[in-house]
Amino acid sequence: MKRADKIRPVSLRYKLIISSILCLLLPAAITLTVSNLNTKSVVKQHAVDNALGTLEVMDRYIVNTVNKMLYVSNFIQFDSEIQSIIRGKWNDNRLNSEEQFVVNYFNTKKITEKLDNISFPGEKTRITILLKDGTAYSNISQLDYDPQHFFQEPWFKQLAPIPSFSTYWIGTHPSYLAEDKDEGRYFITIANTIKSFSSEPYGYLIVSLSEEQISAIFPENNTNNEHMLLDSKGTILSHPDKSRIGQSFLHFDKLEDESSPSIIKVDKEDYMLLNRKLSISDWILVSMVPYQEAISQINTVQGTNFILQGLFFAVFLLILVALMRQFTKPVFKLSRAVSQVEAGNLQFRTHIQGDDELGRLGQSFDQMLDRIEDMIQQITLEQTGKRKAELEMLQAQINPHFLFNVLNSIRLRIKLKGDEENAALISSLSSLLRMTINRNNEFIALHEEVETVAHYFKLMNFRTSEPITIHINIEPEVASVDIPRFVLQPILENSLIHGFRDYSGSISILAQKQDEHLFIQIGDTGRGMEAKELAQLHGHLTSIESSRKEELKRGLSGIGLKNVFERLRLIYGEHFHYQLASKPGQGTVITLEIPLKSGEKHA
């Protein structure tokens, strides 16, 4: 802590020195950055143009080769003779085994001849038509492979859901021909489903092409560059090095936009990574070009960098000196003014003039000091008035306390004379007056509010010849819940005034917890209300117009029924709900629903 206290705040002059250093270093950094960016831009553009030209040629060749595979696939699917034969094979069960053998022999011969004829010269395309019953038609001798092995391939299950005439790209896989397996050759294969009019697959078309027909266009692997064909997941489909096929391209996540090559490091050497997405599928052509080899052809002139650095140094230094002279004086004036105000001298003023930012800042600072002095005087007057008001409030509290003490003395004297009934009445009156006059707390526990209501009923029954019975049923877990003061008393008072007229009855209070809400139900056995009268009461409770003058004409607390509902809506907002139910001759029931969060506002 002592070491921290010794650290002084950085002065403005020191900040300007730091700024000057930054201003001197910034031109050099800008110059070097611009120069490097220009150099890299030229180098990249030169290398990218060459690589993109190579990728474009490869793209055209691969697209042309794959289009031939698609042509073969489409030709077979739309050839009426081939479709008639395989559809007849699927449906025809009428021939005996000998006749069916002869028909199948000639049909197989026809299809095989067609498959041989649609293969392009120099590009041996392996074609297999496989039916669900295991029957196969192919331009490959079945001595070299078993067509039914396709049923066991992991990709075969993916064919059934695809629509008719849609192509499933299987990608690169080891050759399924016996003569190719020892040589480590690969095929690139596509597949289609052959479906009936009811969309049920009854056959499959598999077209394969040797991977060597694609990798033949790649330059042989050397120290200069590298080309390959990837699928959408980064798996190598074609590469001059056969051992790389099927492996994941380690820098697949570095592939960016085709027009934006990225720089990667392979064996401590930088490479430019370019890619081109084929238009026929999700395949990607990738080219890796050595970066150092590309930039060795370009040697831009660097001598201009030193000239630019010297020029920027001189210009920024002159600007800095001018700015320091211009800004230092007014800032120091403001600093002195702040020190004076901190010392308690509120009469000090900066008197800074000018239309710039510092001039306006000085004038605003002076105006702020003027307002602070005015506010101090105003606060002093307000505090004096507040103390006078507090004194008057303390004096006003003398009369209520005097009244409570006198009532308690009278109650004790009457009780000593044996008049327990009148002593109880005076006790109820004293408690009721204390709760009515003491309104400092906005909220009160539910059981205290109920006690106030009980005292009120004792006094009201004393006044009337027909007593009203009150039944209280409060669950223990909600007895201590805080509710707004004077919520129940005005409702019960309203029931006494309007529900009972010179005849006895009963009023019940039920309080219970339901789903984090407090439900209070006040019911009476009074005269009840007609539907029209009930609607008028509901409209009165929900109307915006105030009826404060009418409610103050009578009642113990001066709080009417409408006031109670307005207070509950203000406190709880949309979380407060109520219900009114009444029938002539059967009484009225009012139900209140408020959240079980004591003393919190929910509006």
Side-chain angles (χ1 to χ4, degrees), residues 99-253:
E99 293 175 340
Q100 190 171 5
F101 176 79
V102 174
V103 172
N104 288 342
Y105 172 79
F106 285 104
N107 287 339
T108 302
K109 184 178 181 181
K110 288 181 182 180
I111 294 179
T112 303
E113 291 176 353
K114 276 184 172 289
L115 298 182
D116 287 332
N117 291 333
I118 62 176
S119 298
F120 294 94
E123 297 179 358
K124 182 61 176 178
T125 305
R126 278 77 174 180
I127 308 169
T128 301
I129 300 174
L130 183 62
L131 302 185
K132 294 185 69 173
D133 62 355
T135 303
Y137 307 97
S138 178
N139 62 348
I140 311 171
S141 173
Q142 295 192 12
L143 298 177
D144 291 339
Y145 84 115
D146 181 11
Q148 296 190 16
H149 88 282
F150 288 122
F151 290 121
Q152 310 300 325
E153 292 293 336
W155 49 262
F156 191 81
K157 297 180 180 180
Q158 307 295 326
L159 297 181
I162 66 174
S164 300
F165 310 111
S166 295
T167 301
Y168 182 78
W169 296 84
I170 299 171
T172 304
H173 59 89
S175 173
Y176 46 76
L177 300 181
E179 60 181 4
D180 292 341
K181 290 183 178 180
D182 296 335
E183 299 180 9
R185 293 180 179 178
Y186 288 84
F187 279 164
I188 294 178
T189 303
I190 62 175
N192 301 84
T193 58
I194 304 174
K195 296 186 177 182
S196 64
F197 293 107
S198 61
S199 299
E200 179 185 357
Y202 61 86
Y204 306 92
L205 174 62
I206 298 99
V207 181
S208 300
L209 186 71
S210 176
E211 180 272 337
E212 294 178 352
Q213 293 185 228
I214 293 180
S215 61
I217 65 171
F218 297 151
E220 292 186 4
N221 192 17
N222 52 43
T223 57
N224 294 329
N225 51 36
E226 185 177 0
H227 303 277
M228 66 193 75
L229 180 65
L230 310 178
D231 63 10
S232 61
K233 297 180 179 179
T235 303
I236 299 177
L237 300 178
S238 181
H239 195 282
D241 184 1
K242 304 304 178 185
S243 62
R244 299 280 301 277
I245 297 177
Q247 298 180 3
S248 296
F249 182 52
L250 299 179
H251 307 285
F252 181 71
D253 57 336

Side-chain angles (χ1 to χ4, degrees), residues 341-354:
V341 172
E342 185 179 4
N345 184 11
L346 297 179
Q347 284 74 35
F348 187 85
R349 299 294 183 267
T350 63
H351 302 294
I352 296 177
Q353 302 297 326

Side-chain angles (χ1 to χ4, degrees), residues 267-280:
D267 296 332
K268 299 182 180 181
E269 185 177 355
D270 291 334
Y271 282 81
M272 284 196 304
L273 186 63
L274 299 96
N275 66 94
R276 182 183 181 92
K277 187 173 182 180
L278 304 186
S279 58
I280 56 172

Side-chain angles (χ1 to χ4, degrees), residues 6-54:
K6 293 180 180 180
I7 298 177
R8 295 181 179 180
V10 180
S11 64
L12 177 63
R13 183 164 295 176
Y14 185 71
K15 292 179 181 178
L16 289 176
I17 293 174
I18 296 177
S19 300
S20 65
I21 297 175
L22 292 176
C23 289
L24 294 176
L25 294 178
L26 187 61
I30 293 176
T31 302
L32 292 175
T33 302
V34 172
S35 177
N36 289 334
L37 288 176
N38 288 335
T39 303
K40 290 181 180 179
S41 178
V42 173
V43 171
K44 279 188 177 182
Q45 190 61 41
H46 178 75
V48 167
D49 289 342
N50 293 335
L52 288 180
T54 304

Side-chain angles (χ1 to χ4, degrees), residues 273-414:
L273 186 63
L274 299 96
N275 66 94
R276 182 183 181 92
K277 187 173 182 180
L278 304 186
S279 58
I280 56 172
S281 66
D282 56 359
W283 294 353
I284 304 172
L285 269 172
V286 176
S287 176
M288 293 173 57
V289 180
Y291 186 71
Q292 293 298 329
E293 181 179 341
I295 65 174
S296 62
Q297 302 175 5
I298 300 176
N299 186 14
T300 58
V301 179
Q302 299 293 333
T304 55
N305 291 340
F306 297 100
I307 299 175
L308 289 174
Q309 290 177 13
L311 179 61
F312 280 122
F313 178 83
V315 172
F316 277 99
L317 182 60
L318 293 175
I319 294 174
L320 178 63
V321 172
L323 291 176
M324 289 179 65
R325 287 184 176 181
Q326 184 69 23
F327 294 148
T328 300
K329 291 182 180 180
V331 170
F332 283 151
K333 285 185 178 181
L334 281 173
S335 178
R336 280 200 310 270
V338 171
S339 299
Q340 291 291 330
V341 172
E342 185 179 4
N345 184 11
L346 297 179
Q347 284 74 35
F348 187 85
R349 299 294 183 267
T350 63
H351 302 294
I352 296 177
Q353 302 297 326
D355 296 331
D356 58 359
E357 290 81 359
L358 287 175
R360 290 194 294 270
L361 179 61
Q363 296 169 15
S364 299
F365 187 79
D366 293 343
Q367 294 174 3
M368 180 186 67
L369 291 177
D370 294 337
R371 287 196 295 270
I372 288 176
E373 286 189 326
D374 294 339
M375 291 174 62
I376 290 175
Q377 294 178 1
Q378 183 178 356
I379 291 173
T380 301
L381 294 175
E382 290 179 354
Q383 291 295 328
T384 302
K386 184 178 180 180
R387 285 195 296 270
K388 291 181 179 180
E390 291 176 351
L391 180 59
E392 292 177 355
M393 290 179 61
L394 290 173
Q395 293 173 348
Q397 290 180 0
I398 295 175
N399 291 334
H401 289 296
F402 176 75
L403 179 60
F404 297 150
N405 293 333
V406 171
L407 286 174
N408 283 329
S409 298
I410 296 174
R411 181 181 64 83
L412 290 173
R413 181 168 294 185
I414 294 175

